[in-house]
Amino acid sequence: MNSKNGLPLLIIALLGLISIVIPVFFLEDLRVYDSPLFPQIRTGMEGISRYSFLLLFLSGFVVKAFSNLPSWKIGMMSMALFPIAAILEIIADASSHNMLPLEILFYLIYTLPAIAGAYLAQFLKKLLLVRALHKGL
């Protein structure tokens, strides 16, 4: 990984985490779950909301708008911290995450909003470039 892409990758990973956790603090009817290390992450994942999907979409859009990262990489990085957190929780309590393969499948599905946002930003960047080139001729 070159340093040029390092910062956008870190930003999208953090934005992905924030997208899942932030709704936990303002959704009133959300059931709070217990977890060995990261209860807010578990609560956010178990009670994932449309706000999380919207924030993931916007995260992918913003990172793609300001970087040249591939859209699929933006999507994957938006969920990269969650398997790491799950592994850390397994180390802390071996009885947690007994359905890890299924969790990873959900993490893969949850990359789709960020990928969609990134592709929309890519499309709009190209559209603006074409219009700018057309006006310049």
Side-chain angles (χ1 to χ4, degrees):
M1 168 177 59
N2 64 31
S3 61
K4 179 181 164 189
N5 290 336
L7 184 60
L9 290 171
L10 177 63
I11 289 171
I12 190 61
L14 293 174
L15 287 174
L17 179 66
I18 290 167
S19 296
I20 300 298
V21 173
I22 287 293
V24 169
F25 296 106
F26 70 84
L27 291 176
E28 296 171 3
D29 59 342
L30 196 60
R31 178 179 172 217
V32 177
Y33 289 87
D34 193 27
S35 175
L37 297 176
F38 309 109
Q40 290 84 8
I41 292 176
R42 179 167 182 215
T43 300
M45 278 297 180
E46 297 282 345
I48 196 157
S49 68
R50 64 178 178 247
Y51 300 110
S52 291
F53 291 124
L54 176 63
L55 290 170
L56 286 167
F57 180 87
L58 292 173
S59 297
F61 183 89
V62 168
V63 170
K64 184 62 178 184
F66 294 102
S67 76
N68 289 320
L69 286 174
S71 297
W72 68 268
K73 196 177 281 190
I74 290 171
M76 290 301 194
M77 283 305 294
S78 71
M79 290 287 116
L81 296 178
F82 295 97
I84 295 168
I87 291 168
L88 291 173
E89 286 194 338
I90 290 170
I91 292 169
D93 179 6
S95 66
S96 67
H97 298 274
N98 55 357
M99 306 241 340
L100 187 62
L102 188 58
E103 281 183 54
I104 291 174
L105 176 65
F106 278 103
Y107 299 150
L108 288 172
I109 292 169
Y110 295 160
T111 65
L112 296 177
I115 292 171
Y119 274 117
L120 178 61
Q122 179 179 334
F123 172 76
L124 292 176
K125 281 169 56 172
K126 286 183 181 180
L127 183 65
L128 291 173
L129 179 62
V130 167
R131 285 191 177 177
L133 289 173
H134 183 65
K135 284 186 178 185
L137 295 176

